[in-house]
């Protein structure tokens, strides 16, 4: 009615990825907890069990406002 966005889900508008999506990625860095880090359209994704330089297929498990989590798909 007044043009506010109170009911809007921020994840849908700010994230280029969605839970369940699969991507072929290259791990660029490692996080402080040892997870691999890749970027999908500039969006940071943490990949459990991946090392720098790995080229893997991942499935998105969880998407937060500024980053996501993925697992390697065998």
């Amino acid at each position: 009615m007044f043009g506010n966005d109170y009911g809007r889900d921020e994840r849908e508008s700010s994230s280029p990825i969605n839970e369940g999506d699969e991507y072929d990625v290259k791990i660029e860095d490692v996080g402080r907890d040892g997870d691999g880090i890749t970027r999908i359209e500039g969006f940071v994704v943490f990949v459990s069990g991946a090392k720098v330089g790995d080229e893997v297929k991942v499935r998105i498990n969880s998407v937060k406002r500024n980053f996501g989590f993925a697992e390697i798909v065998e």
Side-chain angles (χ1 to χ4, degrees):
M1 180 171 162
F2 296 105
N4 66 43
D5 293 327
Y6 296 131
R8 196 174 85 212
D9 185 348
E10 286 293 323
R11 290 179 298 170
E12 288 181 31
S13 64
S14 63
S15 169
I17 63 174
N18 296 297
E19 288 183 26
D21 288 353
E22 293 186 1
Y23 298 91
D24 292 313
V25 299
K26 183 171 183 179
I27 303 303
E28 304 167 1
D29 206 348
V30 71
R32 69 173 187 222
D33 294 333
D35 292 334
I37 297 175
T38 190
R39 287 174 180 78
I40 300 171
E41 296 181 32
F43 195 77
V44 173
V45 179
F46 295 94
V47 182
S48 179
K51 299 179 206 134
V52 173
D54 286 353
E55 293 185 23
V56 294
K57 176 173 257 193
V58 298
R59 180 179 302 122
I60 306 302
N61 291 339
S62 176
V63 180
K64 305 297 183 195
R65 185 172 182 189
N66 297 317
F67 57 91
F69 294 100
E71 65 183 354
I72 296 173
V73 177
E74 299 290 332

